[in-house]
Amino acid sequence: MKIRLRCPREHCGGRVTAAMGSASATSVTCARCGSAVAIPRRAGEPAAALETCPRCGGREFFVRRDFPQRLGLAVVIFAALASCIAFALERMILTWSILAAAVVIDALLYLVTGTVTVCYRCRAEFEDAPYNASHHGFDLATSEKYGEYVP
Ligand SMILES: [Zn+2]
Ligand SMILES: [Zn+2]
């Protein structure tokens, strides 16, 4: 299992990923700004079914698709532009082929992506987290309970 954290530095927006269970690492350097991001010590302990967050102790999680949103968006924008050009050139079959290809690519991306488990409280993300039946999709009401988390 891996833990993914947002860089705590303001306006950085970088993300760090660390393998859980490596006792040696207690911090990871942010590739964007170079500041050290603390990895929780308890991350070294094996989490049977991820019931408490090793970082903040939160007990509620949601599961989301680890979908590369920028890539998905790029496919849609490219397809929209390309189909407009094809449409302007009155290539109707080409227009529909481009749109159909975009739909297929999007669906394939969705299929090949895994899921990440996210802590509602601190927004730490866990890759390859063990399956836990009590984790569901994102719930806005639960999320609002925690407000905006400031690390
Ligand atoms: Zn950073
Ligand atoms: Zn947490």
Side-chain angles (χ1 to χ4, degrees):
M1 186 161 76
K2 282 185 193 160
I3 184 169
R4 236 190 270 167
L5 300 170
R6 212 165 26 160
C7 174
R9 196 155 145 173
E10 237 182 307
H11 310 304
C12 171
R15 277 179 179 274
V16 296
T17 307
M20 296 187 57
S22 58
S24 54
T26 52
S27 75
V28 176
T29 311
C30 170
R32 261 199 214 182
C33 70
S35 59
V37 183
I39 301 300
R41 277 183 189 281
R42 271 182 296 169
E45 288 170 20
L50 197 66
E51 273 169 356
T52 48
C53 174
R55 189 186 186 206
C56 72
R59 295 185 67 86
E60 285 180 292
F61 298 87
F62 64 91
V63 180
R64 67 166 179 79
R65 281 263 165 195
D66 196 12
F67 189 79
Q69 282 167 338
R70 274 189 204 156
L71 188 61
L73 198 66
V75 169
V76 171
I77 291 170
F78 178 78
L81 286 175
S83 61
C84 279
I85 293 165
F87 186 76
L89 298 172
E90 292 180 23
R91 302 278 178 92
M92 291 318 289
I93 292 166
L94 186 63
T95 306
W96 293 114
S97 306
I98 292 166
L99 291 175
V103 170
V104 170
I105 291 167
D106 250 12
L108 285 176
L109 277 175
Y110 189 84
L111 281 177
V112 297
T113 50
T115 56
V116 280
T117 305
V118 189
C119 170
Y120 271 113
R121 200 164 152 198
C122 72
R123 295 299 160 107
E125 297 180 353
F126 301 91
E127 274 176 50
D128 312 319
Y131 176 74
N132 186 323
S134 67
H135 297 166
H136 302 289
F138 180 76
D139 177 58
L140 190 63
T142 312
S143 179
E144 279 177 349
K145 216 164 63 177
Y146 293 101
E148 183 65 34
Y149 178 80
V150 183

